[in-house]
Amino acid sequence: MPGRFQQTISRSTSVKGFGLFTNADVCVTFQPAGENHGIVFQRVDLPGQPKIKACITNIAAEERRTKLVDGSASVEMVEHVLAALAGLQIDNCLVQVDAPELPGCDGSALPYAAALLDGEPVAQRAKRETLVLKDDHVIEDDNAIISASPYFSGLRISYDLNYGTDSVIPAQLADFSIDPVTFVSGIASARTFVLEQEIAYLRSRGYGEKVSTSDLLVYGENGPVDNELRAHNECARHKLLDCLGDLSLCGCDVQGHIRAFRSGHRHNHLLARLVYDLARNKTTAVERAA
Ligand SMILES: [Zn+2]
Protein backbone atom coordinates (compact mmCIF):
# COMPACT_ATOMS: atom_id res chain seq x y z
CA MET A 1 0.00 0.00 0.00
CA PRO A 2 1.80 3.17 -1.12
CA GLY A 3 2.60 5.65 1.57
CA ARG A 4 1.99 3.51 4.64
CA PHE A 5 4.12 4.16 7.71
CA GLN A 6 6.99 1.87 8.65
CA GLN A 7 6.44 -0.42 11.63
CA THR A 8 8.51 -2.11 14.30
CA ILE A 9 7.46 -3.97 17.47
CA SER A 10 6.93 -2.33 20.85
CA ARG A 11 8.90 -4.89 22.88
CA SER A 12 11.12 -7.91 22.37
CA THR A 13 9.54 -11.34 21.91
CA SER A 14 10.98 -14.84 21.42
CA VAL A 15 10.35 -18.18 19.73
CA LYS A 16 12.22 -21.38 20.65
CA GLY A 17 12.56 -24.58 18.67
CA PHE A 18 15.03 -26.62 16.67
CA GLY A 19 16.35 -26.53 13.13
CA LEU A 20 14.66 -28.96 10.74
CA PHE A 21 17.90 -29.58 8.84
CA THR A 22 20.63 -29.23 11.51
CA ASN A 23 18.54 -30.45 14.50
CA ALA A 24 20.17 -27.69 16.62
CA ASP A 25 18.17 -26.07 19.43
CA VAL A 26 17.69 -22.37 18.71
CA CYS A 27 16.09 -19.32 20.28
CA VAL A 28 14.94 -16.43 18.07
CA THR A 29 14.44 -13.06 19.73
CA PHE A 30 12.78 -10.24 17.82
CA GLN A 31 14.00 -6.83 18.99
CA PRO A 32 12.47 -3.43 18.12
CA ALA A 33 14.52 -1.33 15.66
CA GLY A 34 14.52 2.26 14.46
CA GLU A 35 13.19 3.71 11.22
CA ASN A 36 14.92 2.54 8.03
CA HIS A 37 16.82 -0.16 9.96
CA GLY A 38 15.23 -2.91 7.90
CA ILE A 39 15.25 -6.58 8.88
CA VAL A 40 18.66 -7.63 10.18
CA PHE A 41 19.63 -11.04 11.60
CA GLN A 42 22.27 -11.27 14.32
CA ARG A 43 24.16 -14.44 15.23
CA VAL A 44 24.54 -13.88 18.98
CA ASP A 45 26.27 -17.28 19.36
CA LEU A 46 29.30 -16.21 17.29
CA PRO A 47 32.28 -14.07 18.41
CA GLY A 48 31.53 -10.40 17.78
CA GLN A 49 27.83 -11.23 17.27
CA PRO A 50 27.88 -10.47 13.52
CA LYS A 51 24.85 -9.03 11.76
CA ILE A 52 23.45 -10.17 8.41
CA LYS A 53 21.05 -7.85 6.62
CA ALA A 54 17.99 -9.48 5.10
CA CYS A 55 18.74 -8.31 1.56
CA ILE A 56 18.71 -10.16 -1.73
CA THR A 57 22.39 -9.19 -2.22
CA ASN A 58 23.24 -11.46 0.75
CA ILE A 59 21.55 -14.55 -0.67
CA ALA A 60 23.49 -17.83 -0.85
CA ALA A 61 22.65 -20.83 -3.02
CA GLU A 62 21.02 -23.56 -0.93
CA GLU A 63 18.60 -26.36 -1.71
CA ARG A 64 14.99 -26.10 -0.47
CA ARG A 65 15.51 -23.09 1.80
CA THR A 66 16.70 -19.51 1.93
CA LYS A 67 20.16 -18.78 3.34
CA LEU A 68 21.73 -15.38 3.96
CA VAL A 69 25.47 -14.80 4.20
CA ASP A 70 27.61 -11.81 5.12
CA GLY A 71 31.33 -12.44 5.43
CA SER A 72 31.87 -15.63 7.42
CA ALA A 73 28.46 -15.45 9.17
CA SER A 74 25.35 -17.11 7.80
CA VAL A 75 21.79 -17.87 8.80
CA GLU A 76 19.36 -20.20 7.03
CA MET A 77 15.70 -21.20 6.89
CA VAL A 78 14.89 -17.51 7.21
CA GLU A 79 11.94 -17.54 4.80
CA HIS A 80 9.15 -18.22 7.30
CA VAL A 81 10.37 -15.49 9.66
CA LEU A 82 10.63 -13.13 6.69
CA ALA A 83 7.10 -14.05 5.61
CA ALA A 84 5.72 -13.32 9.09
CA LEU A 85 7.48 -9.94 9.20
CA ALA A 86 6.35 -9.05 5.66
CA GLY A 87 2.81 -10.33 6.19
CA LEU A 88 2.42 -8.23 9.33
CA GLN A 89 4.14 -5.25 7.66
CA ILE A 90 6.91 -5.07 10.27
CA ASP A 91 9.76 -3.35 8.46
CA ASN A 92 12.31 -2.70 11.17
CA CYS A 93 13.45 -5.53 13.43
CA LEU A 94 16.66 -7.03 14.78
CA VAL A 95 16.27 -10.82 14.68
CA GLN A 96 18.73 -12.38 17.11
CA VAL A 97 19.45 -16.11 16.77
CA ASP A 98 21.84 -18.39 18.67
CA ALA A 99 22.27 -21.05 15.98
CA PRO A 100 22.86 -21.14 12.19
CA GLU A 101 19.31 -22.28 11.37
CA LEU A 102 15.96 -20.79 12.36
CA PRO A 103 13.56 -23.15 14.13
CA GLY A 104 11.17 -25.10 11.92
CA CYS A 105 8.39 -24.91 14.54
CA ASP A 106 5.31 -26.59 13.04
CA GLY A 107 6.52 -25.94 9.49
CA SER A 108 4.45 -22.76 9.20
CA ALA A 109 4.91 -19.06 10.01
CA LEU A 110 2.15 -19.05 12.63
CA PRO A 111 4.40 -19.26 15.75
CA TYR A 112 6.42 -16.32 14.40
CA ALA A 113 3.32 -14.29 13.58
CA ALA A 114 1.90 -14.98 17.05
CA ALA A 115 5.14 -13.87 18.72
CA LEU A 116 5.35 -10.70 16.62
CA LEU A 117 1.73 -9.80 17.37
CA ASP A 118 2.54 -10.38 21.06
CA GLY A 119 5.37 -7.84 20.59
CA GLU A 120 2.70 -5.33 19.51
CA PRO A 121 3.51 -3.86 16.09
CA VAL A 122 3.70 -0.08 16.24
CA ALA A 123 3.81 2.58 13.49
CA GLN A 124 6.89 4.77 13.11
CA ARG A 125 7.16 8.21 11.55
CA ALA A 126 9.00 7.33 8.33
CA LYS A 127 7.07 6.14 5.28
CA ARG A 128 7.68 2.71 3.75
CA GLU A 129 8.90 2.77 0.15
CA THR A 130 6.70 1.02 -2.42
CA LEU A 131 7.75 -0.15 -5.85
CA VAL A 132 4.77 0.20 -8.18
CA LEU A 133 5.17 -2.25 -11.04
CA LYS A 134 4.58 -0.52 -14.38
CA ASP A 135 5.42 -3.38 -16.75
CA ASP A 136 5.10 -7.16 -17.01
CA HIS A 137 8.12 -9.23 -16.04
CA VAL A 138 8.43 -12.98 -16.55
CA ILE A 139 11.01 -15.34 -15.09
CA GLU A 140 10.83 -18.74 -16.74
CA ASP A 141 13.23 -21.43 -15.76
CA ASP A 142 13.38 -25.20 -15.29
CA ASN A 143 9.67 -25.94 -15.88
CA ALA A 144 8.58 -23.12 -13.57
CA ILE A 145 7.27 -19.62 -14.23
CA ILE A 146 6.97 -16.61 -11.99
CA SER A 147 5.67 -13.33 -13.31
CA ALA A 148 5.10 -9.86 -11.91
CA SER A 149 2.51 -7.51 -13.42
CA PRO A 150 0.95 -4.14 -12.65
CA TYR A 151 -1.94 -4.29 -10.19
CA PHE A 152 -4.37 -1.62 -9.08
CA SER A 153 -3.78 -1.88 -5.34
CA GLY A 154 -1.34 -3.54 -2.98
CA LEU A 155 0.33 -6.90 -3.47
CA ARG A 156 -1.51 -9.95 -4.75
CA ILE A 157 0.14 -13.36 -5.05
CA SER A 158 -1.37 -16.30 -6.93
CA TYR A 159 0.35 -19.68 -6.62
CA ASP A 160 -0.58 -22.46 -9.04
CA LEU A 161 0.71 -25.81 -7.76
CA ASN A 162 0.57 -28.63 -10.26
CA TYR A 163 3.07 -31.48 -10.10
CA GLY A 164 1.16 -33.57 -12.64
CA THR A 165 -1.46 -36.30 -12.36
CA ASP A 166 1.05 -38.84 -10.98
CA SER A 167 1.88 -36.73 -7.92
CA VAL A 168 0.47 -37.63 -4.49
CA ILE A 169 0.00 -33.88 -4.00
CA PRO A 170 -3.14 -32.81 -5.93
CA ALA A 171 -3.17 -29.73 -8.16
CA GLN A 172 -4.29 -26.66 -6.21
CA LEU A 173 -4.34 -22.87 -6.33
CA ALA A 174 -3.84 -20.21 -3.66
CA ASP A 175 -4.67 -16.58 -4.39
CA PHE A 176 -4.46 -13.79 -1.83
CA SER A 177 -4.29 -10.03 -1.64
CA ILE A 178 -1.61 -9.63 1.01
CA ASP A 179 -2.27 -7.64 4.16
CA PRO A 180 -1.92 -8.40 7.88
CA VAL A 181 -5.50 -9.69 8.12
CA THR A 182 -5.32 -12.10 5.16
CA PHE A 183 -1.83 -13.15 6.23
CA VAL A 184 -2.92 -14.18 9.72
CA SER A 185 -6.23 -15.73 8.66
CA GLY A 186 -5.21 -17.52 5.48
CA ILE A 187 -1.46 -17.79 4.95
CA ALA A 188 0.57 -17.93 8.18
CA SER A 189 -0.64 -21.39 9.27
CA ALA A 190 0.17 -23.19 5.99
CA ARG A 191 2.92 -25.76 6.64
CA THR A 192 5.94 -26.96 4.76
CA PHE A 193 5.36 -30.22 2.92
CA VAL A 194 7.68 -32.96 1.82
CA LEU A 195 7.34 -36.36 0.17
CA GLU A 196 7.93 -39.49 2.26
CA GLN A 197 10.83 -40.56 0.04
CA GLU A 198 12.41 -37.11 0.35
CA ILE A 199 12.39 -37.39 4.16
CA ALA A 200 14.16 -40.76 3.87
CA TYR A 201 16.78 -39.22 1.58
CA LEU A 202 17.33 -36.22 3.87
CA ARG A 203 17.68 -38.50 6.90
CA SER A 204 20.24 -40.63 5.05
CA ARG A 205 22.33 -37.46 4.80
CA GLY A 206 21.99 -36.69 8.53
CA TYR A 207 19.30 -34.03 8.16
CA GLY A 208 15.96 -33.85 9.89
CA GLU A 209 16.68 -36.46 12.59
CA LYS A 210 14.40 -34.76 15.12
CA VAL A 211 11.57 -34.17 12.67
CA SER A 212 8.42 -36.23 13.08
CA THR A 213 5.42 -36.46 10.79
CA SER A 214 3.61 -34.03 13.10
CA ASP A 215 6.27 -31.31 12.61
CA LEU A 216 5.40 -30.76 8.97
CA LEU A 217 3.26 -32.30 6.21
CA VAL A 218 4.80 -35.55 5.02
CA TYR A 219 3.01 -36.82 1.92
CA GLY A 220 2.66 -40.55 1.38
CA GLU A 221 0.63 -42.48 -1.20
CA ASN A 222 -2.61 -41.68 0.64
CA GLY A 223 -1.97 -38.05 1.49
CA PRO A 224 -0.49 -36.53 4.65
CA VAL A 225 0.99 -39.13 7.07
CA ASP A 226 -0.29 -38.91 10.71
CA ASN A 227 -1.62 -35.45 9.98
CA GLU A 228 -4.59 -33.49 8.69
CA LEU A 229 -4.62 -30.60 6.26
CA ARG A 230 -5.39 -27.16 7.69
CA ALA A 231 -6.85 -26.14 4.30
CA HIS A 232 -7.57 -28.10 1.12
CA ASN A 233 -4.90 -26.02 -0.65
CA GLU A 234 -2.44 -25.84 2.24
CA CYS A 235 0.54 -26.75 0.03
CA ALA A 236 -0.17 -23.93 -2.43
CA ARG A 237 -0.70 -21.54 0.48
CA HIS A 238 2.69 -22.55 1.86
CA LYS A 239 4.39 -21.96 -1.47
CA LEU A 240 2.75 -18.52 -1.51
CA LEU A 241 4.06 -17.94 2.04
CA ASP A 242 7.60 -18.82 0.92
CA CYS A 243 7.25 -16.47 -2.06
CA LEU A 244 6.13 -13.61 0.19
CA GLY A 245 9.07 -14.14 2.56
CA ASP A 246 11.64 -14.41 -0.23
CA LEU A 247 10.20 -11.42 -2.12
CA SER A 248 10.62 -9.25 0.99
CA LEU A 249 14.39 -9.49 0.45
CA CYS A 250 13.91 -6.75 -2.19
CA GLY A 251 13.64 -4.31 0.75
CA CYS A 252 10.47 -2.44 -0.18
CA ASP A 253 6.74 -3.00 -0.58
CA VAL A 254 5.56 -4.06 -4.02
CA GLN A 255 2.36 -2.97 -5.71
CA GLY A 256 1.73 -5.66 -8.27
CA HIS A 257 0.36 -9.11 -9.04
CA ILE A 258 2.77 -12.03 -8.69
CA ARG A 259 1.73 -15.22 -10.47
CA ALA A 260 3.77 -18.31 -9.72
CA PHE A 261 3.61 -21.76 -11.30
CA ARG A 262 5.69 -24.62 -9.84
CA SER A 263 8.29 -22.12 -8.70
CA GLY A 264 10.51 -22.44 -5.63
CA HIS A 265 13.04 -20.46 -3.66
CA ARG A 266 15.44 -20.02 -6.56
CA HIS A 267 12.75 -18.39 -8.71
CA ASN A 268 11.56 -16.28 -5.77
CA HIS A 269 15.12 -15.01 -5.32
CA LEU A 270 15.34 -14.09 -9.01
CA LEU A 271 12.07 -12.18 -8.62
CA ALA A 272 13.31 -10.39 -5.48
CA ARG A 273 16.50 -9.46 -7.32
CA LEU A 274 14.48 -8.12 -10.25
CA VAL A 275 12.34 -5.94 -7.95
CA TYR A 276 15.43 -4.83 -5.99
CA ASP A 277 17.09 -3.72 -9.24
CA LEU A 278 13.92 -1.98 -10.45
CA ALA A 279 13.65 -0.07 -7.17
CA ARG A 280 17.27 1.06 -7.39
CA ASN A 281 17.66 1.74 -11.08
CA LYS A 282 14.25 3.01 -12.13
CA THR A 283 13.58 5.49 -9.41
CA THR A 284 10.67 6.94 -11.40
CA ALA A 285 8.84 3.68 -10.76
CA VAL A 286 9.18 4.08 -7.01
CA GLU A 287 6.65 6.15 -5.19
CA ARG A 288 8.60 8.07 -2.59
CA ALA A 289 6.49 9.59 0.10
CA ALA A 290 6.65 13.36 0.34
ZN1 LIG B 1 8.61 -22.84 3.42
Side-chain angles (χ1 to χ4, degrees):
M1 192 177 297
R4 74 174 176 86
F5 288 99
Q6 294 180 19
Q7 289 198 108
T8 185
I9 47 175
S10 303
R11 57 171 182 270
S12 65
T13 177
S14 296
V15 174
K16 286 181 180 170
F18 66 89
L20 290 179
F21 285 90
T22 57
N23 313 309
D25 288 330
V26 53
C27 179
V28 184
T29 303
F30 298 101
Q31 301 280 9
E35 295 167 2
N36 300 312
H37 174 276
I39 307 302
V40 177
F41 290 87
Q42 184 176 29
R43 284 286 304 276
V44 296
D45 57 317
L46 295 179
Q49 305 195 332
K51 292 179 177 175
I52 308 160
K53 190 168 177 60
C55 180
I56 193 63
T57 56
N58 286 334
I59 206 80
E62 195 63 78
E63 288 280 303
R64 307 187 66 103
R65 55 200 187 272
T66 295
K67 180 177 182 178
L68 296 167
V69 179
D70 192 355
S72 59
S74 69
V75 61
E76 59 188 284
M77 274 294 284
V78 294
E79 58 267 32
H80 302 164
V81 164
L82 292 176
L85 289 160
L88 295 173
Q89 296 180 336
I90 296 166
D91 314 291
N92 302 309
C93 187
L94 180 65
V95 186
Q96 297 178 315
V97 294
D98 59 0
E101 183 187 353
L102 276 290
C105 303
D106 65 348
S108 82
L110 197 57
Y112 294 125
L116 288 166
L117 288 171
D118 193 48
E120 293 187 4
V122 60
Q124 296 169 291
R125 277 193 268 181
K127 289 285 185 78
R128 172 73 165 171
E129 198 171 67
T130 298
L131 177 89
V132 180
L133 289 169
K134 304 288 189 189
D135 302 298
D136 292 321
H137 305 272
V138 180
I139 294 163
E140 195 168 354
D141 185 39
D142 200 19
N143 238 347
I145 300 173
I146 191 161
S147 68
S149 309
Y151 195 61
F152 70 96
S153 174
L155 174 65
R156 177 179 171 189
I157 306 178
S158 310
Y159 194 95
D160 183 356
L161 186 155
N162 190 336
Y163 297 134
T165 50
D166 292 339
S167 174
V168 295
I169 302 173
Q172 52 194 274
L173 183 72
D175 186 357
F176 283 92
S177 289
I178 310 295
D179 62 43
V181 173
T182 59
F183 182 75
V184 170
S185 64
I187 302 167
S189 66
R191 293 164 294 176
T192 304
F193 57 94
V194 65
L195 299 176
E196 232 172 357
Q197 58 264 39
E198 290 177 309
I199 279 279
Y201 173 71
L202 289 170
R203 286 201 175 132
S204 73
R205 297 176 68 197
Y207 294 126
E209 285 167 357
K210 279 191 191 173
V211 177
S212 76
T213 46
S214 62
D215 292 322
L216 73 175
L217 284 175
V218 178
Y219 264 88
E221 282 299 319
N222 301 309
V225 179
D226 303 332
N227 223 321
E228 298 217 342
L229 291 174
R230 292 176 175 174
H232 75 279
N233 59 349
E234 185 172 355
C235 295
R237 291 184 194 219
H238 186 81
K239 296 293 278 189
L240 187 154
L241 184 160
D242 280 341
C243 181
L244 174 65
D246 287 339
L247 177 61
S248 74
L249 291 167
C250 72
C252 62
D253 282 2
V254 178
Q255 182 180 324
H257 186 182
I258 311 300
R259 292 181 181 88
F261 174 70
R262 292 178 68 121
S263 52
H265 290 297
R266 196 164 54 83
H267 311 95
N268 296 341
H269 299 158
L270 290 170
L271 176 71
R273 182 73 209 204
L274 184 144
V275 173
Y276 175 84
D277 288 342
L278 282 174
R280 295 176 81 81
N281 299 332
K282 295 184 183 175
T283 50
T284 52
V286 178
E287 287 193 4
R288 294 182 192 282

Short mmCIF file of all heavy atoms in Angstrom, two decimals, residues 228-260:
data_model
loop_
_atom_site.label_atom_id
_atom_site.label_comp_id
_atom_site.label_asym_id
_atom_site.label_seq_id
_atom_site.Cartn_x
_atom_site.Cartn_y
_atom_site.Cartn_z
N GLU A 228 -3.41 -33.95 9.44
CA GLU A 228 -4.59 -33.49 8.69
C GLU A 228 -4.31 -32.13 8.11
O GLU A 228 -3.66 -31.29 8.75
CB GLU A 228 -5.80 -33.39 9.63
CG GLU A 228 -6.18 -34.73 10.23
CD GLU A 228 -7.68 -34.89 10.36
OE1 GLU A 228 -8.39 -33.87 10.31
OE2 GLU A 228 -8.12 -36.04 10.50
N LEU A 229 -4.82 -31.89 6.92
CA LEU A 229 -4.62 -30.60 6.26
C LEU A 229 -5.35 -29.50 7.01
O LEU A 229 -6.47 -29.70 7.51
CB LEU A 229 -5.12 -30.65 4.82
CG LEU A 229 -4.33 -31.51 3.85
CD1 LEU A 229 -5.04 -31.57 2.50
CD2 LEU A 229 -2.92 -30.96 3.67
N ARG A 230 -4.73 -28.33 7.08
CA ARG A 230 -5.39 -27.16 7.69
C ARG A 230 -6.25 -26.43 6.66
O ARG A 230 -7.06 -25.58 7.02
CB ARG A 230 -4.32 -26.21 8.25
CG ARG A 230 -3.59 -26.80 9.44
CD ARG A 230 -2.46 -25.91 9.92
NE ARG A 230 -1.85 -26.44 11.13
CZ ARG A 230 -0.76 -25.93 11.70
NH1 ARG A 230 -0.18 -24.86 11.17
NH2 ARG A 230 -0.27 -26.46 12.79
N ALA A 231 -6.04 -26.70 5.39
CA ALA A 231 -6.85 -26.14 4.30
C ALA A 231 -6.67 -27.08 3.11
O ALA A 231 -5.63 -27.73 2.99
CB ALA A 231 -6.40 -24.73 3.94
N HIS A 232 -7.67 -27.16 2.24
CA HIS A 232 -7.57 -28.10 1.12
C HIS A 232 -6.39 -27.76 0.21
O HIS A 232 -5.84 -28.61 -0.45
CB HIS A 232 -8.89 -28.12 0.32
CG HIS A 232 -9.07 -26.91 -0.55
ND1 HIS A 232 -9.53 -25.70 -0.06
CD2 HIS A 232 -8.83 -26.71 -1.87
CE1 HIS A 232 -9.57 -24.83 -1.04
NE2 HIS A 232 -9.15 -25.41 -2.14
N ASN A 233 -6.01 -26.47 0.20
CA ASN A 233 -4.90 -26.02 -0.65
C ASN A 233 -3.72 -25.56 0.20
O ASN A 233 -3.04 -24.59 -0.14
CB ASN A 233 -5.38 -24.90 -1.59
CG ASN A 233 -5.92 -23.70 -0.81
OD1 ASN A 233 -6.13 -23.77 0.40
ND2 ASN A 233 -6.13 -22.59 -1.51
N GLU A 234 -3.49 -26.27 1.31
CA GLU A 234 -2.44 -25.84 2.24
C GLU A 234 -1.05 -25.80 1.57
O GLU A 234 -0.26 -24.90 1.86
CB GLU A 234 -2.40 -26.78 3.46
CG GLU A 234 -1.40 -26.31 4.51
CD GLU A 234 -1.47 -27.10 5.82
OE1 GLU A 234 -2.35 -27.98 5.95
OE2 GLU A 234 -0.63 -26.84 6.70
N CYS A 235 -0.78 -26.73 0.68
CA CYS A 235 0.54 -26.75 0.03
C CYS A 235 0.74 -25.49 -0.82
O CYS A 235 1.80 -24.87 -0.79
CB CYS A 235 0.70 -28.00 -0.82
SG CYS A 235 0.68 -29.52 0.14
N ALA A 236 -0.28 -25.14 -1.60
CA ALA A 236 -0.17 -23.93 -2.43
C ALA A 236 -0.06 -22.69 -1.56
O ALA A 236 0.69 -21.76 -1.86
CB ALA A 236 -1.38 -23.82 -3.37
N ARG A 237 -0.80 -22.68 -0.45
CA ARG A 237 -0.70 -21.54 0.48
C ARG A 237 0.72 -21.44 1.05
O ARG A 237 1.23 -20.34 1.26
CB ARG A 237 -1.70 -21.70 1.64
CG ARG A 237 -3.15 -21.55 1.22
CD ARG A 237 -4.04 -21.61 2.45
NE ARG A 237 -5.44 -21.81 2.08
CZ ARG A 237 -6.47 -21.23 2.69
NH1 ARG A 237 -6.27 -20.43 3.71
NH2 ARG A 237 -7.70 -21.47 2.30
N HIS A 238 1.33 -22.60 1.34
CA HIS A 238 2.69 -22.55 1.86
C HIS A 238 3.68 -22.04 0.81
O HIS A 238 4.59 -21.27 1.13
CB HIS A 238 3.16 -23.89 2.42
CG HIS A 238 4.49 -23.75 3.07
ND1 HIS A 238 4.63 -23.26 4.36
CD2 HIS A 238 5.75 -23.89 2.59
CE1 HIS A 238 5.91 -23.14 4.64
NE2 HIS A 238 6.62 -23.51 3.59
N LYS A 239 3.49 -22.46 -0.42
CA LYS A 239 4.39 -21.96 -1.47
C LYS A 239 4.24 -20.44 -1.63
O LYS A 239 5.20 -19.72 -1.88
CB LYS A 239 4.09 -22.67 -2.81
CG LYS A 239 4.34 -24.16 -2.79
CD LYS A 239 5.80 -24.51 -2.63
CE LYS A 239 6.55 -24.44 -3.95
NZ LYS A 239 7.92 -24.98 -3.83
N LEU A 240 3.02 -19.97 -1.47
CA LEU A 240 2.75 -18.52 -1.51
C LEU A 240 3.46 -17.83 -0.34
O LEU A 240 4.06 -16.76 -0.49
CB LEU A 240 1.24 -18.30 -1.48
CG LEU A 240 0.69 -16.91 -1.68
CD1 LEU A 240 -0.73 -16.97 -2.23
CD2 LEU A 240 0.68 -16.08 -0.40
N LEU A 241 3.39 -18.47 0.84
CA LEU A 241 4.06 -17.94 2.04
C LEU A 241 5.57 -17.81 1.79
O LEU A 241 6.18 -16.77 2.10
CB LEU A 241 3.78 -18.89 3.21
CG LEU A 241 4.26 -18.58 4.62
CD1 LEU A 241 3.43 -19.41 5.61
CD2 LEU A 241 5.72 -18.89 4.85
N ASP A 242 6.17 -18.86 1.24
CA ASP A 242 7.60 -18.82 0.92
C ASP A 242 7.91 -17.68 -0.06
O ASP A 242 8.90 -16.97 0.09
CB ASP A 242 8.04 -20.14 0.27
CG ASP A 242 8.27 -21.24 1.28
OD1 ASP A 242 8.45 -20.95 2.48
OD2 ASP A 242 8.28 -22.42 0.86
N CYS A 243 7.05 -17.51 -1.05
CA CYS A 243 7.25 -16.47 -2.06
C CYS A 243 7.20 -15.09 -1.41
O CYS A 243 8.05 -14.23 -1.69
CB CYS A 243 6.18 -16.60 -3.15
SG CYS A 243 6.32 -15.38 -4.47
N LEU A 244 6.25 -14.90 -0.51
CA LEU A 244 6.13 -13.61 0.19
C LEU A 244 7.39 -13.31 1.01
O LEU A 244 7.93 -12.20 0.98
CB LEU A 244 4.90 -13.63 1.10
CG LEU A 244 4.68 -12.43 2.01
CD1 LEU A 244 4.41 -11.18 1.18
CD2 LEU A 244 3.52 -12.69 2.97
N GLY A 245 7.88 -14.32 1.74
CA GLY A 245 9.07 -14.14 2.56
C GLY A 245 10.30 -13.84 1.71
O GLY A 245 11.06 -12.91 1.99
N ASP A 246 10.48 -14.62 0.65
CA ASP A 246 11.64 -14.41 -0.23
C ASP A 246 11.56 -13.05 -0.94
O ASP A 246 12.57 -12.36 -1.07
CB ASP A 246 11.72 -15.52 -1.28
CG ASP A 246 12.17 -16.85 -0.69
OD1 ASP A 246 12.79 -16.84 0.39
OD2 ASP A 246 11.90 -17.89 -1.32
N LEU A 247 10.36 -12.69 -1.40
CA LEU A 247 10.20 -11.42 -2.12
C LEU A 247 10.56 -10.23 -1.22
O LEU A 247 11.07 -9.21 -1.71
CB LEU A 247 8.75 -11.29 -2.63
CG LEU A 247 8.39 -9.99 -3.34
CD1 LEU A 247 9.25 -9.80 -4.59
CD2 LEU A 247 6.91 -9.96 -3.71
N SER A 248 10.33 -10.37 0.08
CA SER A 248 10.62 -9.25 0.99
C SER A 248 12.10 -8.89 1.02
O SER A 248 12.46 -7.81 1.48
CB SER A 248 10.13 -9.58 2.41
OG SER A 248 10.98 -10.51 3.04
N LEU A 249 12.95 -9.78 0.51
CA LEU A 249 14.39 -9.49 0.45
C LEU A 249 14.70 -8.35 -0.52
O LEU A 249 15.84 -7.88 -0.58
CB LEU A 249 15.16 -10.75 0.05
CG LEU A 249 15.18 -11.85 1.12
CD1 LEU A 249 15.70 -13.16 0.52
CD2 LEU A 249 16.04 -11.42 2.31
N CYS A 250 13.70 -7.90 -1.30
CA CYS A 250 13.91 -6.75 -2.19
C CYS A 250 13.97 -5.45 -1.38
O CYS A 250 14.45 -4.44 -1.87
CB CYS A 250 12.83 -6.67 -3.26
SG CYS A 250 11.21 -6.16 -2.61
N GLY A 251 13.47 -5.46 -0.14
CA GLY A 251 13.64 -4.31 0.75
C GLY A 251 12.61 -3.21 0.65
O GLY A 251 12.77 -2.15 1.26
N CYS A 252 11.54 -3.44 -0.12
CA CYS A 252 10.47 -2.44 -0.18
C CYS A 252 9.14 -3.16 -0.39
O CYS A 252 9.11 -4.36 -0.66
CB CYS A 252 10.72 -1.44 -1.32
SG CYS A 252 10.73 -2.17 -2.97
N ASP A 253 8.04 -2.43 -0.23
CA ASP A 253 6.74 -3.00 -0.58
C ASP A 253 6.62 -3.06 -2.10
O ASP A 253 7.29 -2.29 -2.81
CB ASP A 253 5.61 -2.13 -0.02
CG ASP A 253 5.39 -2.36 1.46
OD1 ASP A 253 6.13 -3.16 2.06
OD2 ASP A 253 4.47 -1.74 2.02
N VAL A 254 5.79 -3.94 -2.57
CA VAL A 254 5.56 -4.06 -4.02
C VAL A 254 4.07 -3.91 -4.28
O VAL A 254 3.25 -4.56 -3.63
CB VAL A 254 6.03 -5.44 -4.54
CG1 VAL A 254 5.75 -5.57 -6.04
CG2 VAL A 254 7.51 -5.66 -4.25
N GLN A 255 3.74 -3.03 -5.21
CA GLN A 255 2.36 -2.97 -5.71
C GLN A 255 2.34 -3.69 -7.04
O GLN A 255 2.89 -3.20 -8.04
CB GLN A 255 1.87 -1.53 -5.86
CG GLN A 255 0.41 -1.49 -6.33
CD GLN A 255 -0.10 -0.06 -6.51
OE1 GLN A 255 0.27 0.82 -5.74
NE2 GLN A 255 -0.94 0.14 -7.50
N GLY A 256 1.74 -4.87 -7.05
CA GLY A 256 1.73 -5.66 -8.27
C GLY A 256 1.08 -7.00 -8.04
O GLY A 256 0.66 -7.33 -6.92
N HIS A 257 0.94 -7.77 -9.11
CA HIS A 257 0.36 -9.11 -9.04
C HIS A 257 1.43 -10.13 -9.43
O HIS A 257 1.93 -10.12 -10.55
CB HIS A 257 -0.84 -9.20 -9.99
CG HIS A 257 -1.58 -10.50 -9.88
ND1 HIS A 257 -2.65 -10.80 -10.68
CD2 HIS A 257 -1.42 -11.57 -9.06
CE1 HIS A 257 -3.12 -12.00 -10.36
NE2 HIS A 257 -2.38 -12.49 -9.38
N ILE A 258 1.79 -10.97 -8.45
CA ILE A 258 2.77 -12.03 -8.69
C ILE A 258 2.01 -13.31 -9.00
O ILE A 258 1.13 -13.72 -8.23
CB ILE A 258 3.67 -12.27 -7.44
CG1 ILE A 258 4.24 -10.95 -6.90
CG2 ILE A 258 4.75 -13.30 -7.74
CD1 ILE A 258 5.11 -10.19 -7.84
N ARG A 259 2.34 -13.92 -10.13
CA ARG A 259 1.73 -15.22 -10.47
C ARG A 259 2.86 -16.24 -10.55
O ARG A 259 3.84 -16.04 -11.28
CB ARG A 259 1.03 -15.15 -11.83
CG ARG A 259 -0.22 -14.27 -11.87
CD ARG A 259 -0.82 -14.33 -13.28
NE ARG A 259 -1.99 -13.50 -13.43
CZ ARG A 259 -1.96 -12.21 -13.77
NH1 ARG A 259 -0.80 -11.59 -13.97
NH2 ARG A 259 -3.09 -11.54 -13.91
N ALA A 260 2.70 -17.31 -9.78
CA ALA A 260 3.77 -18.31 -9.72
C ALA A 260 3.23 -19.67 -10.10
O ALA A 260 2.13 -20.06 -9.68
CB ALA A 260 4.34 -18.35 -8.31
#
